[in-house]
Amino acid sequence: MADPFPRLFERTVAARFCRALTIEAHRSAQPFYGNRPSPRGFAVAFFEPALEKMRPAKIEALQLERLKKIVRYAAARVPFYKAGLKRAKVSPDKIRKLEDVARLPFTVKADLRDNYPYGLLAVPLSEVVEFHASSGTTGKPTVVGYTRRDRETWTRMVARCYAATGARKGDVVQNAYGYGLFTGGLGLHYGGQAMGLAVWPMSSGNTKRQLLFMKDMGTTILASTPSYALYLAEEAKREGYDPRKDFKLRIGIFGAEPWSEEVRDKVESSLGLRAHDIYGLSELYGPGVAIECEEQEGLHLWSDEFLWETIDPETGEPTEPGERGELVFTMLTREAMPLIRYRTRDLARVDTEECGCGRYHPRIMRVTGRSDDMLIIGGVNVFPSQVEDALMRIPGVGEWYEIIVDRDILDKLHVRVEVEPKVYDSPAFDPNVLQQTITEELRSVLTVFARVELLKPGTITRTEGKAKRVVDLRKQA
Ligand SMILES: [Zn+2]
């Protein structure tokens, strides 16, 4: 432990914190900004231009330098990693190239729980400035600590995310993510402030007040879960607002649950904004690990901070380049709680091609499901995201649905779906035809039979946080 703590990582990066925003000409000009003309013309903004536009070879060199340091650091300070490396018979000096990361053992969520509460901390409590914890659906919460520098790093990444969506000084952020132990609220809060935006710390819930603020405060950026954005759009209509006239929304930052292109279309057209997918996990700082830029073609993953891999979730072996797999991240600079080869259970494909926005950071081509969420129905793998994709393609289907899996002798898939209000009220609406269309579409996509039940609009309970769309009754038996 020769390195004194404050000089562990390069200070130059931190020195750029809160630097002025750089705006440059956009390479692929887009005439419209969401549904409104862009106020600044075709400009693209960077929060940290040098790091955001870094070329792949430079990123890789930086990754390697940081990987060597963080492995040595974790092994020296965290007994869990020391023991893990010993078991795998790898000494930190054996890390000579990026591919060597594959020699290190994985870290999984259960390791965080087993070391509850402070077992994975690499620093004394006196160095920690903040904690977050994810709600433990099964027992103990997952605890994550941040040093002052970690919180700065997280803040910078979220600020980059805002810049990538086209946020500018003068924008008003309505942050409807939950504040508290959940990382969504404070993450989007810190990043927005660092970008120089005005942030309303609304937190989730109290929909009437959200809508009132949206109108009266001139909100231009809405940050929330995608399902809550849908709900806000519905309630806005019910409360008599015309979102396109009454609201000034232009950017939506939606994350914390998977969503489809069809949901994007619905949110964009009903709220009159441009929807951006943001990715993160509380274990990896929180939101801001990756974001969709103005090109809306995949989520830029800040690879100077995260070394990513995609693996086959069954075998743990790396997938072929560009192939879909489970995302695995090594956090390259986190001081309070280093994470090495953390298995996210999220399945996605990563694209390393250069993007039209000028960023070379690889893009996650949307998280298409979690390996945890995969349902095995009569021996067939079914992802809830496939069901959503299929449903949202069918005209007349509303935004709300539920997937219920049960078993008597055989597994049974039951999909309950709301009909779009306009269609439901139309005299020409024939439920039998719609039901049959959905049944056939699901059968062709999933290759299993689903019993489809059509519901009156508003039947399914609305949520203000993450939507609970799947109920597996087999697990409760
Ligand atoms: Zn881009």
Side-chain angles (χ1 to χ4, degrees):
M1 240 186 287
D3 280 336
F5 176 78
R7 282 193 277 119
L8 191 69
F9 297 110
E10 320 78 279
R11 298 306 280 175
T12 48
V13 177
R16 293 203 186 93
F17 183 54
C18 285
R19 59 173 298 141
L21 189 70
T22 312
I23 296 176
E24 295 179 7
H26 203 300
R27 285 170 162 197
S28 60
Q30 288 168 334
F32 284 98
Y33 197 87
N35 299 297
R36 303 165 202 285
S38 165
R40 309 276 171 111
F42 319 132
V44 60
F46 298 94
F47 181 70
E48 296 180 294
L51 287 166
E52 288 177 58
K53 291 191 288 177
M54 198 177 255
R55 300 271 163 164
K58 270 198 148 176
I59 294 179
E60 281 173 25
L62 182 61
Q63 285 177 326
L64 181 58
E65 186 194 317
R66 289 179 164 179
L67 176 67
K68 287 178 181 170
K69 266 189 200 166
I70 201 75
V71 173
R72 220 178 303 128
Y73 174 84
R77 290 180 175 231
V78 185
F80 166 79
Y81 287 115
K82 189 180 181 183
L85 262 67
K86 203 172 164 195
R87 261 199 315 276
K89 299 196 176 70
V90 197
S91 99
D93 312 329
K94 292 275 158 62
I95 305 292
R96 300 210 175 99
K97 50 186 192 306
L98 281 177
E99 294 71 42
D100 290 339
V101 74
R103 304 172 61 177
L104 302 169
F106 291 116
T107 307
V108 295
K109 189 148 186 164
D111 296 325
L112 273 70
R113 269 190 233 115
D114 293 347
N115 289 281
Y116 173 87
Y118 295 149
L120 291 182
L121 286 190
V123 297
L125 280 175
S126 58
E127 299 289 344
V128 176
V129 297
E130 187 162 329
F131 282 111
H132 282 276
S134 66
S135 52
T137 38
T138 48
K140 290 173 191 164
T142 312
V143 174
V144 181
Y146 307 69
T147 63
R148 191 170 299 281
R149 225 195 114 83
D150 293 337
R151 199 178 58 186
E152 240 178 58
T153 308
W154 181 27
T155 300
R156 288 191 295 103
M157 282 193 296
V158 180
R160 285 188 203 174
C161 290
Y162 274 106
T165 65
R168 301 285 187 277
K169 255 185 121 44
D171 272 316
V172 176
V173 181
Q174 184 158 341
N175 187 4
Y177 280 110
Y179 278 67
L181 290 177
F182 174 55
T183 50
L186 283 172
L188 271 297
H189 187 94
Y190 295 146
Q193 288 185 327
M195 255 289 290
L197 311 176
V199 183
W200 281 99
M202 299 298 289
S203 204
S204 51
N206 204 337
T207 304
K208 277 198 176 123
R209 191 178 59 184
Q210 299 272 6
L211 294 168
L212 178 85
F213 272 57
M214 208 170 272
K215 180 166 185 262
D216 292 353
M217 310 307 170
T219 303
T220 55
I221 301 179
L222 171 65
S224 73
T225 58
S227 53
Y228 192 50
L230 273 176
Y231 183 53
L232 282 168
E234 262 183 19
E235 284 300 297
K237 256 184 238 160
R238 197 162 304 146
E239 296 285 322
Y241 295 97
D242 177 350
R244 281 158 174 279
K245 268 201 220 128
D246 295 333
F247 301 155
K248 293 191 178 131
L249 291 169
R250 60 184 201 94
I251 295 173
I253 300 181
F254 304 130
E257 59 192 19
W259 48 300
S260 61
E261 286 304 311
E262 289 74 14
V263 167
R264 185 206 301 279
D265 292 344
K266 286 192 175 164
V267 175
E268 288 191 338
S269 61
S270 54
L271 289 177
L273 48 70
R274 215 167 127 123
H276 296 260
D277 195 4
I278 189 168
Y279 176 77
L281 292 178
S282 62
E283 299 93 304
L284 315 169
Y285 293 122
V289 174
I291 184 93
E292 265 176 345
C293 67
E294 292 176 84
E295 303 284 320
Q296 290 179 303
E297 276 189 48
L299 291 78
H300 286 288
L301 165 64
W302 304 124
S303 52
D304 52 328
E305 293 293 340
F306 297 98
L307 180 63
W308 62 274
E309 302 167 72
T310 45
I311 61 160
D312 179 329
E314 304 288 320
T315 64
E317 291 300 316
T319 55
E320 293 296 317
E323 207 179 276
R324 186 168 179 268
E326 179 182 338
L327 293 170
V328 173
F329 293 111
T330 297
M331 300 185 75
L332 292 170
T333 73
R334 188 161 68 184
E335 294 174 333
M337 209 179 115
L339 272 186
I340 293 175
R341 299 198 85 201
Y342 185 67
R343 291 186 63 162
T344 62
R345 301 284 164 192
D346 287 327
L347 300 170
R349 192 171 72 73
V350 177
D351 192 316
T352 52
E353 294 292 305
E354 184 196 351
C355 176
C357 71
R359 290 174 182 85
Y360 290 88
H361 290 272
R363 282 167 292 160
I364 302 175
M365 303 315 278
R366 257 177 189 270
V367 171
T368 44
R370 289 174 62 77
S371 54
D372 290 353
D373 290 348
M374 189 178 78
L375 301 162
I376 302 177
I377 296 167
V380 177
N381 296 348
V382 170
F383 286 98
S385 55
Q386 290 176 297
V387 176
E388 172 166 319
D389 286 344
L391 289 177
M392 297 302 149
R393 274 199 300 269
I394 303 167
V397 168
E399 287 101 1
W400 297 86
Y401 65 91
E402 233 169 31
I403 301 168
I404 298 164
V405 191
D406 202 357
R407 173 185 290 153
D408 42 28
I409 300 167
L410 296 168
D411 292 333
K412 288 204 164 127
L413 178 63
H414 181 184
V415 177
R416 304 175 78 226
V417 52
E418 284 186 14
V419 180
E420 213 171 35
K422 240 190 277 166
V423 174
Y424 192 84
D425 294 334
S426 145
F429 170 53
D430 183 343
N432 292 331
V433 173
L434 183 59
Q435 190 178 24
Q436 201 176 346
T437 312
I438 299 173
T439 309
E440 278 164 16
E441 181 67 21
L442 288 177
R443 201 207 305 257
S444 90
V445 172
L446 310 173
T447 70
V448 296
F449 173 76
R451 187 163 70 81
V452 174
E453 183 186 351
L454 297 183
L455 305 171
K456 194 173 161 223
T459 311
I460 293 174
T461 316
R462 277 23 177 182
T463 48
E464 290 175 339
K466 294 190 191 194
K468 174 123 187 69
R469 305 221 194 248
V470 183
V471 183
D472 195 340
L473 297 168
R474 299 175 300 184
K475 285 182 187 160
Q476 292 162 13

